[in-house]
């Protein structure tokens, strides 16, 4: 069974048929739902193959409007926190707070992803911490490359819009080997970046990331390019699994998990575009 590379959306109790939470919600009569093949994708508005009437999206179930609304709320919290951090954190504390926010964001994201039940308050805390990280990182880059933040924001919006349009109107789907490679590559990339970050405190430079200023080699550009491609592929997978979750009758509270997963991918895309655009400004 195919799983999303996003650790939030790949939780068994999030969008996977046969999970305990889903069984409790739908009741013991839901045998046809549990046998549904998660790899299938029905056309928009069609019934899930093999599902009974009570298994279709309805009251108490996750809807696309819920996901959109909650994603917008979380992104708004990130933007507001980023703006406050940009203007209120003193220059002398920028780097310490930036590092603390980066580490805090990693820890909270793992806690959210590993929890069986979704906690909207914890998701909100993550949005605030991630906003502080994004705001301070943006302020540092902007101080060296004026106008870079605006360019990165527009590039992220365009990439998201094009990916969504390709998914919704062109019918692009990530399946089979490509999906599996995306999962493995995303996990490997995350491990490599965490290792690179940790080793940097020991004075060891793997060359995967370039500094904020100074010359840039080919490897950092290649790494950021790969990251942007992975972000786009993960967006496709996020869309697919959210779509499947809605059609399989995921509980309404799972819209917070879906929104959180999208926020993680979008913030990652912005940070990578910010980096790669700065490389070409040097």
């Amino acid at each position: 069974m195919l799983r999303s590379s996003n650790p939030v959306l790949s939780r068994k109790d999030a969008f996977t048929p046969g999970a305990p939470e889903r069984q409790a919600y739908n009741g013991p009569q839901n045998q046809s739902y549990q046998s549904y093949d998660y790899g299938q994708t029905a056309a928009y508005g069609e019934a899930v193959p093999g599902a009974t009437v009570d298994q279709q999206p309805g009251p108490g179930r996750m809807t696309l409007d819920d996901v959109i609304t909650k994603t917008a709320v979380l992104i708004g919290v990130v933007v507001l926190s980023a703006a406050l951090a940009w203007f209120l954190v003193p220059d002398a504390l920028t780097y310490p707070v930036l590092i603390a926010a980066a580490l805090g964001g990693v820890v909270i994201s793992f806690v959210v992803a590993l929890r069986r039940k979704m906690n909207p308050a914890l998701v909100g805390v993550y949005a605030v911490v991630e906003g502080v990280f994004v705001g301070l990182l943006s302020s540092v880059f902007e101080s060296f490359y004026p106008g870079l933040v605006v360019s990165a924001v527009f590039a992220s919006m365009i990439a998201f819009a094009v990916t969504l349009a390709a998914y919704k109107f062109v019918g692009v789907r990530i399946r089979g080997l490509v999906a599996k490679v995306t999962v493995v590559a995303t996990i490997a990339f995350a491990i490599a970046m965490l290792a690179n970050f940790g080793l940097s405190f020991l004075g060891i430079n793997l060359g995967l990331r370039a500094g904020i200023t100074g010359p840039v080699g080919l490897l950092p550009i290649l790494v950021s390019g790969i990251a942007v491609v992975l972000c786009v592929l993960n967006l496709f997978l996020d869309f697919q699994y959210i779509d499947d979750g809605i059609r399989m009758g995921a509980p309404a509270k799972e819209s917070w998990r879906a929104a959180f997963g999208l926020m993680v991918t979008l913030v990652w895309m912005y940070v990578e575009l910010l980096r790669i655009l700065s490389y070409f400004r040097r």
Side-chain angles (χ1 to χ4, degrees):
M1 179 174 61
L2 182 64
R3 305 295 297 275
S4 173
S5 62
N6 191 317
V8 178
L9 304 188
S10 64
R11 289 280 300 156
K12 183 177 181 180
D13 55 315
F15 305 103
T16 310
E21 194 170 328
R22 191 74 11 73
Q23 295 174 21
Y25 182 83
N26 289 318
Q29 79 281 3
N30 197 1
Q31 297 301 318
S32 59
Y33 168 77
Q34 295 179 28
S35 63
Y36 171 62
D37 182 2
Y38 190 43
Q40 300 181 51
T41 301
Y44 183 77
E46 291 182 358
V48 173
T52 58
V53 175
D54 68 297
Q55 295 159 7
Q56 303 308 317
R61 310 289 175 92
M62 183 174 74
T63 66
L64 184 60
D65 288 342
D66 288 339
V67 176
I68 293 175
T69 300
K70 290 178 173 60
T71 302
V73 169
L74 292 178
I75 294 298
V77 172
V78 170
V79 172
L80 179 60
S81 301
L84 292 176
W86 187 321
F87 293 108
L88 297 182
V89 175
D91 292 341
L93 296 178
T94 294
Y95 285 101
V97 175
L98 177 60
I99 294 173
L103 295 175
V106 171
V107 172
I108 296 175
S109 65
F110 275 109
V111 172
V112 173
L114 294 176
R115 283 177 60 91
R116 179 173 295 278
K117 294 183 179 180
M118 201 61 192
N119 187 336
L122 190 59
V123 173
V125 172
Y126 174 83
V128 172
V129 173
E130 197 70 0
V132 172
F133 168 75
V134 169
L136 294 180
L137 185 66
S138 299
S139 69
V140 171
F141 274 98
E142 185 71 13
S143 65
F144 290 101
Y145 312 101
L148 185 68
V149 170
V150 174
S151 298
V153 169
F154 274 106
S156 301
M157 293 172 61
I158 292 173
F160 176 79
V162 170
T163 304
L164 180 60
Y167 176 82
K168 194 67 177 176
F169 302 112
V170 182
V172 176
R173 298 293 186 269
I174 306 299
R175 300 291 187 187
L177 181 61
V178 176
K180 294 177 181 178
V181 170
T182 300
V183 172
V184 174
T186 301
I187 295 174
F189 186 91
I191 293 174
M193 292 303 101
L194 287 174
N196 185 73
F197 183 72
L199 291 174
S200 65
F201 289 101
L202 301 177
I204 301 174
N205 184 9
L206 299 178
L208 301 179
R209 295 294 197 186
I212 297 177
T213 60
V216 180
L218 180 60
L219 183 57
I221 297 176
L222 180 62
V223 169
S224 290
I226 292 173
V228 172
V229 172
L230 286 176
C231 286
V232 172
L233 293 176
N234 273 277
L235 278 179
F236 278 119
L237 289 177
D238 291 347
F239 295 152
Q240 289 173 207
Y241 282 90
I242 290 171
D243 219 5
D244 289 345
I246 292 172
R247 293 187 181 114
M248 289 189 295
K253 64 182 180 180
E254 291 298 335
S255 58
W256 279 110
R257 194 185 306 275
F260 177 67
L262 278 176
M263 175 183 62
V264 170
T265 304
L266 290 173
V267 169
W268 180 25
M269 175 177 287
Y270 167 76
V271 171
E272 293 299 339
L273 286 172
L274 190 68
R275 288 182 179 278
I276 199 170
L277 289 175
S278 74
Y279 295 161
F280 292 102
R281 289 280 296 270
R282 302 184 188 185

